[in-house]
Amino acid sequence: MNKRIAIIGASDLQLPLIEKAKQMGYETHVFAWAAGDVGEKAADHFYPISIIEIGQILDVCREIRPAAVASIASDLAAITVNRVANALGLPANPVETATIATNKYEMRKTFLQAGLPTPRFLLAGPEDDLGEARRLRLPIIVKPTDRSGSRGIFKLESFDRLEECVAASSRESFEKKAIIEEYIEGEEYSCECVSQDGVHHFLAITKKFTTGAPHFIETGHMEPSGLSDSVCEQVKRHVFKALDALHVRCGASHSEFKITPDTGEVRLIEIGARMGGDCIGSDLVKLSTGNDFLQMVIEAAAGEKISLSTGEPRGYAAVRYIMNEEDYEGYMALRKAEPGRIVREHVHFEKGGEVLDSSTRYGFYIVTGASEQEARRLAMLQP
């Protein structure tokens, strides 16, 4: 049996996938721009080809003939995965799925056409007339159409800085465009799923913790979410309908949503046709449910029957990101007082820096607890 897998990307995000593929007996072929990333060393074979060079990656894959093409937690890599896998006749989503699922404006249009609850929104660039945007209901959110990691996000309570924020968001965008939309109030969550042959399987709901306005940088995540069974069922209905609208048929998905405080409605924010980052898919899902999400991603990419377990909660799992010196001191105190409670960690704190987005955080640590309260305490996550 062919046990070669092509993995797109070599950063820290991809390391769990590379390691899991090796555990499953795969020979790993990793593609990324040569930058000294951990995946370069962990791979059995590394190719210094940028993940956006789809043609070059495809040429190599036609020679090595992998059984699967995969990546996790990267919108940009997801586009390459789909195009390469489709060209090789391997399981993948339709090419247009990755394009829509990595562009927030195109995704909003798809949700609207599918009859899913969608805030008013519009597309804008730095040179555009923003008169129509000024008719939206405040507050509004301005963000790049095609970036993740909390880059270039602004919440505005007035229109005074609208042009400035659209320009800043557009600079962060690959296509130099921003989406402006009415802000959805409520607590934020994500729904983790895996799909095979167009059938969606629910795995977990994750509670998100952020810095709040203006940039909403994630400070941590926790599973289970604490939502009631009835709300979880409502979430699944909305998410599955949205996945169908996006034509997601294969692999992981990460659906972000809010629960409105006044009516308790589920309002979709965006969906990634890939595993969630921030250790959600690679760590929290398995720790909290027993479902090996990484293994399922590889199985789906190889066309093998995915190994679904019962998904019964095994406890609470949380990841906490280091944002400042206070967070670092709390992490060090936990290491000293309860060192066995940290499941995995990667911290590189330096004084004087400022966290501007997810990529500039000072690392993370993951804990487990028997209760929500215990997990929150260990991860220093506020109620």
Side-chain angles (χ1 to χ4, degrees), residues 23-144:
Q23 290 172 17
M24 294 172 65
Y26 279 89
E27 182 180 275
T28 55
H29 295 254
V30 175
F31 298 81
W33 184 260
D37 287 331
V38 292
E40 298 180 26
K41 303 175 183 65
D44 294 309
H45 301 275
F46 175 70
Y47 305 86
I49 303 172
S50 169
I51 66 172
I52 65 172
E53 297 295 343
I54 297 172
Q56 293 182 42
I57 294 173
L58 181 56
D59 287 343
V60 175
C61 285
R62 283 186 170 130
E63 292 181 11
I64 63 176
R65 300 176 64 186
V69 182
S71 185
I72 58 173
S74 169
D75 285 332
L76 192 58
I79 295 174
T80 301
V81 167
N82 271 18
R83 290 190 177 276
V84 172
N86 273 287
L88 295 174
L90 295 172
N93 290 315
V95 170
E96 60 270 21
T97 294
T99 303
I100 297 171
T102 54
N103 187 295
K104 296 173 176 61
Y105 177 69
E106 295 299 326
M107 190 184 306
R108 279 275 178 241
K109 289 200 301 182
T110 300
F111 289 168
L112 187 63
Q113 292 165 1
L116 289 159
T118 304
R120 291 176 62 199
F121 64 97
L122 55 89
L123 183 68
E127 307 301 324
D128 292 343
D129 181 350
L130 300 178
E132 185 179 351
R134 294 177 182 278
R135 290 191 284 274
L136 296 176
R137 184 185 66 238
L138 292 167
I140 57 173
I141 288 285
V142 181
K143 51 190 175 184

Side-chain angles (χ1 to χ4, degrees), residues 81 157 163 171 195 259 265 372:
V81 167
E157 302 286 349
E163 285 82 2
R171 284 195 296 272
S195 303
I259 305 292
E265 287 182 274
E372 178 181 349

Side-chain angles (χ1 to χ4, degrees), residues 271-303:
I271 290 179
R274 42 81 178 168
M275 184 183 285
D278 277 7
C279 305
I280 293 171
S282 59
D283 294 84
L284 299 191
V285 170
K286 186 174 183 180
L287 288 170
S288 67
T289 71
N291 284 306
D292 194 329
F293 203 176
L294 288 166
Q295 180 173 324
M296 289 185 229
V297 166
I298 294 170
E299 289 169 338

Side-chain angles (χ1 to χ4, degrees), residues 13 149-150 208-211 216-221 277-279 319-324 327 346-350 354-364:
L13 294 174
S150 303
K208 179 185 289 192
F209 299 83
T210 78
T211 57
F216 301 95
I217 304 169
E218 288 93 339
T219 58
H221 304 274
D278 277 7
C279 305
V319 58
R320 175 58 195 254
Y321 279 82
I322 307 297
M323 311 293 287
N324 50 44
D327 291 346
H346 179 70
V347 177
H348 48 88
F349 179 73
E350 294 181 10
E354 183 182 2
V355 174
L356 303 173
D357 54 40
S358 296
S359 68
T360 55
R361 296 173 300 190
Y362 298 112
F364 65 87

